[in-house]
């Protein structure tokens, strides 16, 4: 059996650039998977995926021309059904054998074996292994059918079919060529109306040979590069672009560098078959526009790589990745410079026009922007965010911070109605900061307008000042509370309002900023800022809600004290509980991703600690406690105590020494009198590690207690006294975490 390497290429019209890499990997991996399943490829077979704008290909090593024969045992039916009393085959058995391609002569060779409680008949035979032609045909059709195509295109075949011009096929883009080589031999397969061969096509404009003839499977990449002027490998093409970008920046000098953007790099790699990086420039007058605007328009609209100087400031030069390499590139450079100029002029126009109006003058315009049909407009939402931000800032920094947070929250969404953000929604917040500085607002307020969206994604930075923290918390809490209040919850992988990200953002700010705020208080403030009674009726009296929110904004003392005389409002307890549980679930998942064990996380979060900033300290204390030799025994004892107390009615956590009858209970009481006050003082001082370690001394008296004391004594007063002793022990041991979770 001659094992050779296999090449399969599908030549198509230009593929969607953002999906190219995924399509190439899926096509190649599916081919290999199908060939392995048929025994034509082995676990040692190596896969190389190729993907360029006009081709998907796969190179697979060690592919056999046919698979090995294999023995197959098929269960037919119970003996009682397949054979008569005298051993003759029944019609049902003969029909089953006929379906498997065997005749009556096979009855004598059937095997009997127990199948459960009944004896059954089994038909054993040798099945011929798949041939490469039929195996590859099946694998190719399967790979095409299962491609993650973003949008299918249906087109008519011009030839190679019974009805040219009428026969339709569906694929991501029209296909024009199919290559299938096993070594140097063509494997005759067909797909999408195409017959396989050994020829493909190179670069549209720069191929040295047309068509490109492939000698064998192993020379594919080399032949395409030499004769077709195409770098077939996505990874090689990407690396070549990176090298050329770095080389071009180095030639310019001055420490300039191309902006780093992995998504842009992948997209450009999917747009060219043989990259050629060129240096272009634009007029310096455009540098007066915020660089985020210029960078975004160059990246998003033109797929250019802006150049930054040594300190990260945008220069008036940029790099393009061309798909052609003419001897004189001036026409290419001039054309790209001419194309980008109107884009930059538009950005400058938007920026100049937007600065003619203050952010404050745009607040009224938010009433015309719909936020949610059950939660009102962005204007109404801003009033709620102001109320929450003011309450948070009042607790964090008093009146001065509350005033700044109120101003930042009022203006945070106003850039949504500017021309620049209307054209580039990605710049919301960023442009708000520029316009706030232009209006002469305090830098902290301007920064907060930009930062209130943070963190936008995992690993993103947090707001840079307390004003931004207050407004960012308020913005996320308003979204969470509003959506949970109307029952609009994330399900599965669907989370259109990014509630999971908002919850993680709240958690990160509370923990990483070490904020001295209780989660319950925060959620109470946020729920209080919404007219929950109206929401539950699914009726939104906008004028009434606006008046109420205005009063809440003006209410002194904030929402935490439930000031302003609006305690008449009814909150949905289920929504509060659901949101609280949702946040703790997000926190638990985040902590496990950071490397904490499930037991450690469960132990801490079982107590639902309100100060999330203290959770890392509690986890460190639990981890240190778990490493002690006494930990396992105390955790087991704590679990036992919890089970005992669950079966008892409400227990007074005090013990009367006069009712002790056993030395072990007196010894435990004495040990607790020494250890518990010390642990309590350490707990109140925030030294959770020392607090848990102080309780380790109780292991011996606890073990002795359970060895020598019957808790459920017949005398009621003695039994209640012992339960009280255990309750006080349970309370002392579970201040930092529920230690029973470590058992």
């Amino acid at each position: 059996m001659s094992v050779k390497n296999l090449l399969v290429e599908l030549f198509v019209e230009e593929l969607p650039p953002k999906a190219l890499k995924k399509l190439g990997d899926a096509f190649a991996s599916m081919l290999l998977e199908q060939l392995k399943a048929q025994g034509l490829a082995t676990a040692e077979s190596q896969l190389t995926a190729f993907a360029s704008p006009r081709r998907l290909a796969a190179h697979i090593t060690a592919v056999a021309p046919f698979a090995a024969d294999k023995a197959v045992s098929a269960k037919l039916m119970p003996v009682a059904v397949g054979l008569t009393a005298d051993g003759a085959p029944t019609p049902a058995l003969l029909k089953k054998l006929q379906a498997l391609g065997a005749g009556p002569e096979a009855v004598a060779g059937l095997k009997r074996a127990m199948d459960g409680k009944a004896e059954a008949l089994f038909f054993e035979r040798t099945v011929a292994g798949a041939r490469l032609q039929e195996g590859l045909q099946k694998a190719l059709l399967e790979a095409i059918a299962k491609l993650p195509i973003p949008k299918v295109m249906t087109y008519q075949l011009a030839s190679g079919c019974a009805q040219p011009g009428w026969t339709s096929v569906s694929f991501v883009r029209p296909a024009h060529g199919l290559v299938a080589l096993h070594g140097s031999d063509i494997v005759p397969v067909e797909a999408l109306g195409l017959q396989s061969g050994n020829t493909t096509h190179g670069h549209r404009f720069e191929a040295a040979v047309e068509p490109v003839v492939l000698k064998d499977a192993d020379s594919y990449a080399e032949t395409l590069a030499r004769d077709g002027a195409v770098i077939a490998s996505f990874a090689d093409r990407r690396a070549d672009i990176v090298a050329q970008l770095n080389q071009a920046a180095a030639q310019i000098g001055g420490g300039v560098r191309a902006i780093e953007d992995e998504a842009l790099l992948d997209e450009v790699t999917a747009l060219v078959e043989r990259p050629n990086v060129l240096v272009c420039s634009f007029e310096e007058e455009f540098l007066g526009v915020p660089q985020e605007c210029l960078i975004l328009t160059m990246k998003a609209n033109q797929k250019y790589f802006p150049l930054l100087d040594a300190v990260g400031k945008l220069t008036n030069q940029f790099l393009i990745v061309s798909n052609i390499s003419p001897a004189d590139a001036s026409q290419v450079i001039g054309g790209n410079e001419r194309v980008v100029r109107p884009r930059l002029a538009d950005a400058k126009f938007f920026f100049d026009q937007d600065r003619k109006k203050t952010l404050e003058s745009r607040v009224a315009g938010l009433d015309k922007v719909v936020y949610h049909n059950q939660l009102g407009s962005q204007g109404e939402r801003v009033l709620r965010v102001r109320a929450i931000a003011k309450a948070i800032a009042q607790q964090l920094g008093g009146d001065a911070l509350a005033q700044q947070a109120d101003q930042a929250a009022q203006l945070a969404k106003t850039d949504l109605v500017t021309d620049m953000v209307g054209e580039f929604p990605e710049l919301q917040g960023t442009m708000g900061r520029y316009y706030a500085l232009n209006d002469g607002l305090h830098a902290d307020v301007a920064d907060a307008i930009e930062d209130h969206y943070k963190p936008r994604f995992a690993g993103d930075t947090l707001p840079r000042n307390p004003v931004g923290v207050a407004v960012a918390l308020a913005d996320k809490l308003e979204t969470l509370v509003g959506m949970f209040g109307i029952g609009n919850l994330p399900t599965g992988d669907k989370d259109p309002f990014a509630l999971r990200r908002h919850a993680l953002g709240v958690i990160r700010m509370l923990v990483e900023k070490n904020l001295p705020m209780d989660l319950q208080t925060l959620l109470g403030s946020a729920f209080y800022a919404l007219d929950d009674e109206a929401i539950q009726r699914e009726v939104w009296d906008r004028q009434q809600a606006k008046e109420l929110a205005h009063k809440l904004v003006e209410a002194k003392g904030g929402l935490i004290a439930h000031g302003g005389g609006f305690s008449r409002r009814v909150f949905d307890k289920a929504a509060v509980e659901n949101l609280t549980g949702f946040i703790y679930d997000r926190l638990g998942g985040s902590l496990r991703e950071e490397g904490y064990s499930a037991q450690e996380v469960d132990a801490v979060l079982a107590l639902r600690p309100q100060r999330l900033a203290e959770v890392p300290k509690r986890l460190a204390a639990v981890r240190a406690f778990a490493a002690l030799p006494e930990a396992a025994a105390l955790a087991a004892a704590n679990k036992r105590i919890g089970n005992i107390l669950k079966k008892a009615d409400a227990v007074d956590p005090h013990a009367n020494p006069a009712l002790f009858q056993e030395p072990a209970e007196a010894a435990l009481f004495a040990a607790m009198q020494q250890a518990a006050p010390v642990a309590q003082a350490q707990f109140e001082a925030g030294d959770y590690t020392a607090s848990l370690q102080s309780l380790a001394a109780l292991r011996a008296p606890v073990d002795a207690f359970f060895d020598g004391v019957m808790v459920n004594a017949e005398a009621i007063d003695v039994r209640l006294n012992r339960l009280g002793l255990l309750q006080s022990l349970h309370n002392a041991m579970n201040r930092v975490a529920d230690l029973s979770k470590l058992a």
Side-chain angles (χ1 to χ4, degrees), residues 564-642:
F566 295 99
S567 58
R568 62 175 177 81
R569 300 163 81 199
V570 179
F571 299 109
D572 183 355
K573 292 183 179 180
V576 179
E577 283 300 315
N578 288 340
L579 179 53
T580 303
F582 179 76
I583 291 175
Y584 280 113
D585 286 344
R586 296 293 99 200
L587 175 58
S590 175
L591 293 172
R592 284 189 286 272
E593 288 178 1
E594 291 177 18
Y596 293 102
S597 70
Q599 284 183 316
E600 292 167 344
V601 173
D602 291 345
V604 172
L605 298 190
L607 300 185
R608 292 285 180 98
Q610 291 300 304
R611 293 281 178 93
L612 299 191
E614 296 180 348
V615 168
K617 289 171 60 179
R618 291 176 183 252
L619 283 166
V622 168
R623 180 168 286 183
F625 174 79
L628 298 175
E630 300 89 350
L634 283 174
N638 188 62
K639 186 174 183 179
R640 183 176 179 183
I641 293 169

Side-chain angles (χ1 to χ4, degrees), residues 138-261:
K138 178 182 177 182
L140 180 59
L141 295 179
E142 190 77 8
I144 291 174
K146 293 187 176 180
L147 274 181
I149 299 174
K151 195 171 184 180
V152 174
M153 177 183 289
T154 300
Y155 58 96
Q156 285 70 44
L157 297 177
S159 61
C161 60
Q163 295 180 304
W166 292 92
T167 302
S168 297
V169 294
S170 297
F171 194 53
V172 59
R173 291 292 186 270
H176 297 291
L178 177 63
V179 174
L181 292 176
H182 187 231
S184 58
D185 300 326
I186 297 174
V187 183
V189 293
E190 60 181 53
L192 303 174
L194 302 169
Q195 300 291 331
S196 60
N198 65 345
T199 61
T200 186
H201 302 276
H203 196 284
R204 278 192 184 274
F205 311 109
E206 300 186 348
V209 177
E210 182 62 30
V212 177
V213 179
L214 302 173
K215 183 178 65 174
D216 54 42
D218 293 341
S219 63
Y220 175 70
E222 178 187 351
T223 303
L224 261 182
R226 182 188 67 243
D227 297 342
V230 170
I231 301 176
S233 168
F234 188 95
D236 291 349
R237 210 162 55 254
R238 191 180 194 273
D240 186 42
I241 292 174
V242 171
Q244 289 192 52
L245 290 173
N246 292 335
Q247 183 180 6
Q251 288 176 350
I252 294 172
V256 300
R257 57 181 175 83
I259 196 165
E260 295 181 6
D261 189 318

Side-chain angles (χ1 to χ4, degrees), residues 403-419:
Q403 184 177 358
Q404 285 188 317
D406 182 36
Q407 184 182 28
Q410 181 188 28
L411 303 177
K413 303 295 182 183
T414 51
D415 65 352
L416 295 177
V417 291
T418 62
D419 292 338

Side-chain angles (χ1 to χ4, degrees), residues 542-567:
R542 297 193 174 194
Q543 187 59 37
Q544 179 185 5
K546 286 179 67 174
E547 291 174 359
L548 178 60
H550 274 300
K551 291 178 181 178
L552 288 169
V553 170
E554 301 300 328
K556 293 184 178 180
L559 303 174
I560 291 173
H562 286 219
F566 295 99
S567 58

Side-chain angles (χ1 to χ4, degrees), residues 113-134:
M114 295 301 297
D115 182 48
K117 295 182 179 180
E119 189 178 23
L121 294 171
F122 291 85
F123 178 48
E124 295 183 342
R125 56 177 176 161
T126 299
V127 178
R131 304 292 171 177
L132 179 57
Q133 179 183 353
E134 61 191 48

Side-chain angles (χ1 to χ4, degrees), residues 2 27 76 85 105 202 265 289 360 480 488 589 637:
S2 178
F27 180 73
L76 301 178
E105 67 279 359
L265 185 57
V289 180
E360 189 171 359
L480 288 165
N488 196 348

